[in-house]
Amino acid sequence: MSLLTGGMAVLLAMFMFSACSSNDSKTGNNDAANQVYIPPGKHDQFYSFMSGGWSGNVSVYGIPSGRHLYTIPVFSQTPMNGYGYASETKALLNTSSGFVPWGDTHHIQPSKTDGMYDGRWIFVNDRNTPRIARINLKTFRTDETLEIPNTGGQHASPFCSSNTEYLSAASEYSIPLPKPMGNGVDVPISSYKKNFHGMISMVKVNQHNGHMKVDFQIEVPPFDYDLGRFGLGESKNWVFYTDYNSEEAHSLLEVNASQKDKDLVLAINWKKAAAIAHQGKGTVVSTDYDHNIVNPRTRWAKTTVEHKVRVLQPSDIKGAMYFLPGPKSPHGINVSPSGKYISIGGKLSSTVTVYSYNDIQNAIKNHDVTKTVDGIPVLSFKNVEAKQVKKAGLGPLHIEYDGKGYGYNTAFISSEIVKWSLKTGKVVDRHASYYSPGHLTIPGGDTRKPYGKYLIALNKITKDRYLPTGPEMFAGEQLFDISGDRMKLLLDFPVEGEPHNVAELPASLIDTGQVKYFDLSKNHNPYVTRKEKDAKVVRKGNRVDVYMTAIRSHFVPDNIEGIKVGDEVHFHITNLEQEWDIPHGFALKGMQNAGLLIIPGDTRSIVWKPKKIGVYPFYCTDFCSALHQEMQGYVRVSPRNSDVKIKYGTNKDL
Ligand code: K7E
Ligand code: CUA
């Protein structure tokens, strides 16, 4: 050893470095299995809520195992359990454009208290038909959807403030807005710069019941607002948005929206803007938009059409809204746990730009303004830019923080995760991620105190990672251990839809408060049947209401006669069980609708319009007991003009 020369020592060190930079390993490290293995019957440490993109829903996974626990239906009709088909849930999909049974979910935002997740609700946006949904974490059900008016597709949504005071929704696609505003306007697309507008919507959340309300909107230049984040800690009264297309192009954006060297970052003091709105500034405009809420007593969703919204102009909120010069065509924007740093992924470059909140405040104090854009002051770049992270990979998209002074970004083009120091801006580690990661997350990464430990990359391209399933494949997630200095790949797991964004909550925040079944005595569905002897079939003109019960292992009634071709038959099925995880299903031959899954103590309704005479079998679709197969019945359908009377019952009743 004493013979080792300096040069050899360097070579050896290089060899050792490359040996341990098996960080590019496609297959994970050796003890990975132990770190992700959750023995049978044991639970994961985290719930992971993943937006499904064009699945329109939110799917739930356990971390670290990657096990798929559930899919929460949100903006898509889901025949699996009748969501969006059952009469109780249909109204949740109503919009001013009518019944829209599909959505594109992008951003998951857990409710927060004092900058930390509180386990009450999950909010998620539909990018296409602008709306926000609220999911109740006690039931994992969608309890509310709210349409966002005066807005094209909204992508920078529904970001949530430190105490869930507001959700913010910013338009990605600008649209022309008539003056006075309303539901649409017919102008040439070429008049984009003159007639089109972007819109920032501030949605207030009722702390008691979670109900959302469009509190006010701010009309902004027709850029494409892409991502947003509320501040934390000292910056908590601010909200920040990236945007691209400050060129205001309306065609071939891939070229025309990449002309300028820098785009603009929008910063709004939402607290100040809200105070100004509440003083009555701006204009209250008429515009119709749907607001759908599940009544907690009846568990029936009802639509209310809202007619008005307050719209502010930038000139109304002087001193509360600024542009910062930003990197060219940026994507993600993320605020560090302390609230001191705001980082932006420059998707067309290889850098992450980090702003200092203090510098922004100083620039505002010193009126360090270079120009104005549509009346919005632009702060001087050199005085607000804290640092550039160089070598952040090609195509940095999103950033997340571990709470220990490090930022991590995905690099879409070079397929990697890059770790850097917030203090120095120096890259300290990088790891390949297969392939083309978009968002990434660290549990609690957008709270004041991230839980650290894991990092999940949401990869856009799957290719050879799993057994092939034809030309279409699930997307792939990758779980990394970030507890040490270097990232370690632990697990790949496939996920539904196109996951854009994910949030992990500690299991203990959610699992203890779960609703296991509904109390039958508190079921106030207008069509509930609490006892078998109350089951009935009632005709009123062409409408027939079937009040049916289900319990192991029969329906009451299970024989029904007197239905006629052309009737509208409403089945209302109450599950009489009062025990965890004993749902019953309902399916009827040829019903042009979905089946139902009815949770114990709940009532679900579905409409059937028989078109032909015959005798139609129905049955329970959920294997509920050893006599589940026997859980079946018949409906007799007679000609329109027949005089067969309504008759129903079980066994000898009929
Ligand atoms: Cu980057 Cu819609 Cu947040 Cu996809 S978004 S990646
Ligand atoms: Cu009830 Cu099967």
Side-chain angles (χ1 to χ4, degrees):
M1 276 307 197
S2 59
L3 292 177
L4 208 68
T5 64
M8 277 172 78
V10 170
L11 268 174
L12 185 62
M14 278 172 68
F15 171 74
M16 282 170 65
F17 178 78
S18 65
C20 70
S21 70
S22 64
N23 246 20
D24 288 342
S25 122
K26 274 190 140 180
T27 49
N29 63 319
N30 293 337
D31 60 350
N34 281 332
Q35 293 188 54
V36 300
Y37 180 68
I38 302 293
K42 292 276 188 277
H43 293 176
D44 279 291
Q45 290 161 19
F46 292 99
Y47 282 95
S48 169
F49 295 88
M50 217 169 264
S51 62
W54 31 257
S55 86
N57 292 331
V58 169
S59 41
V60 187
Y61 297 82
I63 297 296
S65 73
R67 296 188 288 207
H68 186 182
L69 303 176
Y70 186 58
T71 298
I72 306 169
V74 185
F75 293 117
S76 288
Q77 269 186 308
T78 307
M80 173 178 87
N81 56 15
Y83 176 87
Y85 296 91
S87 309
E88 285 80 359
T89 55
K90 281 191 96 141
L92 286 164
L93 301 179
N94 285 343
T95 74
S96 62
S97 305
F99 182 75
V100 179
W102 174 84
D104 185 13
T105 53
H106 274 244
H107 299 114
I108 298 275
Q109 285 282 288
S111 57
K112 287 184 190 140
T113 301
D114 192 21
M116 298 296 291
Y117 297 154
D118 57 25
R120 290 182 291 170
W121 308 299
I122 294 278
F123 300 94
V124 65
N125 67 323
D126 175 5
R127 178 187 186 185
N128 181 51
T129 304
R131 34 188 178 167
I132 298 176
R134 179 173 54 85
I135 294 162
N136 179 344
L137 285 181
K138 288 201 157 50
T139 57
F140 283 53
R141 283 183 172 187
T142 300
D143 270 356
E144 183 178 359
T145 55
L146 171 68
E147 197 180 355
I148 308 296
N150 299 329
T151 299
Q154 43 133 26
H155 188 250
S157 169
F159 295 99
C160 177
S161 64
S162 275
N163 286 296
T164 322
E165 300 97 329
Y166 279 100
L167 309 172
S168 103
S171 56
E172 181 174 22
Y173 311 120
S174 295
I175 50 170
L177 294 172
K179 307 273 177 186
M181 288 185 202
N183 286 327
V185 59
D186 175 19
V187 295
I189 299 168
S190 59
S191 70
Y192 187 98
K193 287 189 186 184
K194 180 169 156 240
N195 287 325
F196 286 48
H197 301 274
M199 195 63 91
I200 308 288
S201 304
M202 298 299 288
V203 174
K204 202 162 176 56
V205 180
N206 180 318
Q207 294 308 304
H208 169 63
N209 54 19
H211 290 181
M212 300 179 282
K213 170 181 182 264
V214 184
D215 196 33
F216 63 97
Q217 298 187 304
I218 307 167
E219 202 179 303
V220 286
F223 308 160
D224 289 44
Y225 300 87
D226 199 12
L227 267 302
R229 284 286 164 173
F230 277 84
L232 276 167
E234 56 191 274
S235 59
K236 71 175 182 215
N237 293 343
W238 288 76
V239 57
F240 307 92
Y241 307 88
T242 52
D243 57 74
Y244 58 95
N245 195 20
S246 53
E247 293 84 354
E248 305 184 1
H250 56 83
S251 178
L252 207 60
L253 265 64
E254 98 177 291
V255 177
N256 296 330
S258 306
Q259 299 296 312
K260 294 191 184 165
D261 272 351
K262 292 208 178 299
D263 277 294
L264 294 162
V265 173
L266 184 61
I268 300 175
N269 183 328
W270 60 265
K271 200 139 198 191
K272 225 179 190 175
I276 293 168
H278 297 160
Q279 286 160 15
K281 272 269 168 89
T283 324
V284 175
V285 304
S286 298
T287 178
D288 290 349
Y289 55 107
D290 282 11
H291 188 188
N292 315 308
I293 304 183
V294 174
N295 177 326
R297 272 172 59 82
T298 59
R299 288 191 291 281
W300 199 301
K302 192 177 152 231
T303 298
T304 307
V305 180
E306 307 280 354
H307 300 288
K308 298 215 174 312
V309 64
R310 179 175 297 280
V311 180
L312 304 175
Q313 297 301 320
S315 56
D316 293 324
I317 52 168
K318 281 218 171 73
M321 180 152 80
Y322 296 89
F323 275 126
L324 327 174
K328 177 176 181 162
S329 300
H331 187 57
I333 183 162
N334 297 74
V335 175
S336 69
S338 67
K340 282 186 169 48
Y341 298 102
I342 298 119
S343 317
I344 291 174
K347 73 185 181 219
L348 296 183
S349 66
S350 60
T351 54
V352 167
T353 303
V354 184
Y355 296 91
S356 145
Y357 174 70
N358 278 333
D359 290 352
I360 296 170
Q361 291 310 306
N362 286 334
I364 291 171
K365 229 180 270 152
N366 300 331
H367 302 287
D368 223 339
V369 172
T370 52
K371 58 173 176 179
T372 61
V373 171
D374 285 16
I376 304 166
V378 181
L379 297 176
S380 151
F381 190 52
K382 61 179 191 310
N383 291 328
V384 294
E385 185 190 11
K387 56 182 81 81
Q388 297 272 348
V389 178
K390 303 248 163 65
K391 300 192 185 140
L394 291 177
L397 287 187
H398 292 280
I399 298 132
E400 193 85 345
Y401 307 90
D402 62 2
K404 296 180 210 148
Y406 295 100
Y408 296 72
N409 69 273
T410 52
F412 179 80
I413 301 168
S414 53
S415 284
E416 55 184 333
I417 311 293
V418 183
K419 175 181 177 181
W420 36 271
S421 157
L422 256 173
K423 213 188 216 150
T424 64
K426 289 264 177 320
V427 170
V428 297
D429 190 22
R430 56 203 317 132
H431 198 301
S433 182
Y434 302 98
Y435 301 94
S436 297
H439 272 272
L440 78 172
T441 185
I442 288 169
D446 64 347
T447 69
R448 282 193 303 105
K449 284 191 205 127
Y451 305 99
K453 192 160 175 181
Y454 299 114
L455 180 150
I456 296 178
L458 286 70
N459 297 297
K460 298 293 183 193
I461 296 174
T462 310
K463 294 216 186 215
D464 57 3
R465 297 303 288 179
Y466 309 102
L467 286 175
T469 54
E472 185 177 329
M473 289 164 275
F474 273 8
E477 305 307 276
Q478 290 191 300
L479 180 74
F480 295 87
D481 173 0
I482 56 162
S483 58
D485 288 341
R486 308 204 69 194
M487 291 175 263
K488 286 191 232 160
L489 175 59
L490 297 179
L491 183 72
D492 272 28
F493 59 103
V495 293
E496 274 183 326
E498 190 201 355
H500 282 274
N501 180 213
V502 56
E504 285 92 29
L505 277 71
S508 58
L509 259 187
I510 298 177
D511 61 357
T512 48
Q514 291 297 290
V515 169
K516 293 188 168 150
Y517 57 86
F518 297 104
D519 184 342
L520 192 58
S521 68
K522 293 190 184 134
N523 177 339
H524 296 287
N525 186 302
Y527 299 97
V528 63
T529 310
R530 288 205 190 81
K531 295 191 203 84
E532 288 188 349
K533 72 170 180 42
D534 297 335
K536 61 187 174 190
V537 180
V538 181
R539 172 183 287 285
K540 244 196 202 150
N542 280 358
R543 175 174 169 142
V544 179
D545 285 284
V546 178
Y547 296 75
M548 188 181 271
T549 61
I551 195 164
R552 281 164 288 180
S553 298
H554 58 273
F555 293 103
V556 174
D558 65 3
N559 281 204
I560 300 169
E561 297 194 348
I563 306 294
K564 295 177 198 171
V565 171
D567 280 346
E568 187 176 282
V569 185
H570 294 245
F571 291 97
H572 311 285
I573 300 147
T574 302
N575 182 341
L576 298 180
E577 311 279 354
Q578 292 287 269
E579 197 182 325
W580 193 16
D581 201 18
I582 310 289
H584 292 288
F586 177 80
L588 181 137
K589 187 196 166 199
M591 185 157 64
Q592 318 88 337
N593 216 323
L596 291 177
L597 190 75
I598 310 123
I599 298 304
D602 209 4
T603 303
R604 285 275 143 124
S605 307
I606 198 138
V607 181
W608 175 49
K609 294 177 182 165
K611 295 205 165 83
K612 288 188 286 192
I613 62 163
V615 177
Y616 293 79
F618 62 86
Y619 69 102
C620 170
T621 50
D622 191 78
F623 211 112
C624 49
S625 74
L627 293 170
H628 153 78
Q629 299 297 123
E630 284 79 353
M631 195 163 173
Q632 53 172 277
Y634 288 103
V635 181
R636 175 183 166 193
V637 176
S638 304
R640 176 73 262 162
N641 55 5
S642 91
D643 52 11
V644 179
K645 290 274 165 305
I646 292 281
K647 267 201 292 184
Y648 57 90
T650 41
N651 212 6
K652 299 206 178 78
D653 302 346
L654 200 68

